Amino acid sequence: MSYLNNPRAIEAQSRAIIAARLGGLGLGAGERDIVTRIIHATGDLEYARLVVIHPRLVAAATAALRGGADIITDIEMVRQGINSSMLARGGGRVICAIREREVAAAAAARGVTRAMAAMEFLAPRMTGAVVAIGNAPTALFRLLELMAAGRAAPAAVIGTPVGFVGAAEAKAALEKAVVPFITVRGTRGGSTVAVAAVNALLHLTWDEEGDD
């Protein structure tokens, strides 16, 4: 059996395959890095045509992260996957409230998802933050409602919830919101996609300052 066993060679060939798919899409350098990392993380070239990136997303998110913005996530899986040490270079932290007792109690009392209650709980801390939602469509819907009501003002939103109930609709609503965003059209998405997008932005933030 013949196969590559050098990690650098594997990485290089993977990126060459992805680059060939992205060549005609007219992506900016930062946008290309984000989509490349998403495809590399998922092994799914279809993301090349599904990922949508707001024109101001890269500039808005990297400026926020460089300035010490926190990253707020919907679930622990997203929080755990984010490169927190790189985020800490600017002074930011990764925050998730899905396991907070107050969140669980509020969700049970009102008959809503914990992801929704977590967005409400963290809304006061969202000003200038980057919000990354990779799992729960209800979290993204509630975030958009909070933004429309003037109760949350993130600098950027990565919204890639996955699934067949509400996910496509929530992401379509994000595309109409007045905030720089990354999303994935349709039912695809998930925590892996959100993490890949956030980590790509972290690399872009520090690469822009000449850091490796």
Side-chain angles (χ1 to χ4, degrees):
M1 181 181 293
S2 176
Y3 58 90
L4 288 175
N5 58 15
N6 182 295
R8 292 184 181 274
I10 293 168
E11 174 82 9
Q13 186 165 327
S14 294
R15 290 188 173 274
I17 292 168
I18 296 168
R21 177 61 68 95
L22 301 184
L25 296 182
L27 298 172
E31 296 167 345
R32 186 168 59 249
D33 288 349
I34 293 166
V35 179
T36 296
R37 192 172 283 264
I38 290 172
I39 293 174
H40 194 263
T42 60
D44 190 345
L45 288 166
E46 283 298 294
Y47 279 100
R49 67 177 183 84
L50 297 175
V51 176
V52 184
I53 302 174
H54 187 280
R56 292 191 291 107
L57 181 280
V58 173
T62 55
L65 294 170
R66 195 179 305 113
D70 291 329
I71 297 174
I72 292 173
T73 72
D74 60 333
I75 61 168
E76 282 291 321
M77 189 177 295
V78 177
R79 185 182 72 82
Q80 292 288 343
I82 291 170
N83 190 328
S84 58
S85 61
M86 185 172 282
L87 174 62
R89 295 185 192 183
R93 297 185 304 147
V94 189
I95 300 170
C96 179
I98 196 76
R99 293 180 178 173
E100 296 287 340
R101 290 183 179 179
E102 184 175 339
V103 168
R110 293 170 44 216
V112 299
T113 69
R114 282 195 297 165
M116 293 175 70
M119 290 296 106
E120 296 168 359
F121 182 78
L122 291 174
R125 304 181 65 171
M126 287 183 183
T127 301
V130 175
V131 180
I133 296 173
N135 182 74
T138 56
L140 183 52
F141 275 127
R142 189 63 184 125
L143 171 62
L144 294 173
E145 290 171 347
L146 291 165
M147 290 168 56
R151 293 175 56 192
V157 175
I158 291 86
T160 63
V162 62
F164 297 99
V165 181
E169 293 82 358
K171 292 179 288 188
L174 175 58
E175 288 194 54
K176 298 176 183 177
V178 185
V179 66
F181 66 85
I182 300 171
T183 195
V184 177
R185 288 176 176 158
T187 58
R188 282 182 172 91
S191 300
T192 299
V193 176
V195 168
V198 170
N199 286 338
L201 286 167
L202 288 168
H203 280 279
L204 286 168
T205 298
W206 305 116
D207 286 349
E208 286 181 0
E209 296 196 347
D211 222 331
D212 291 334

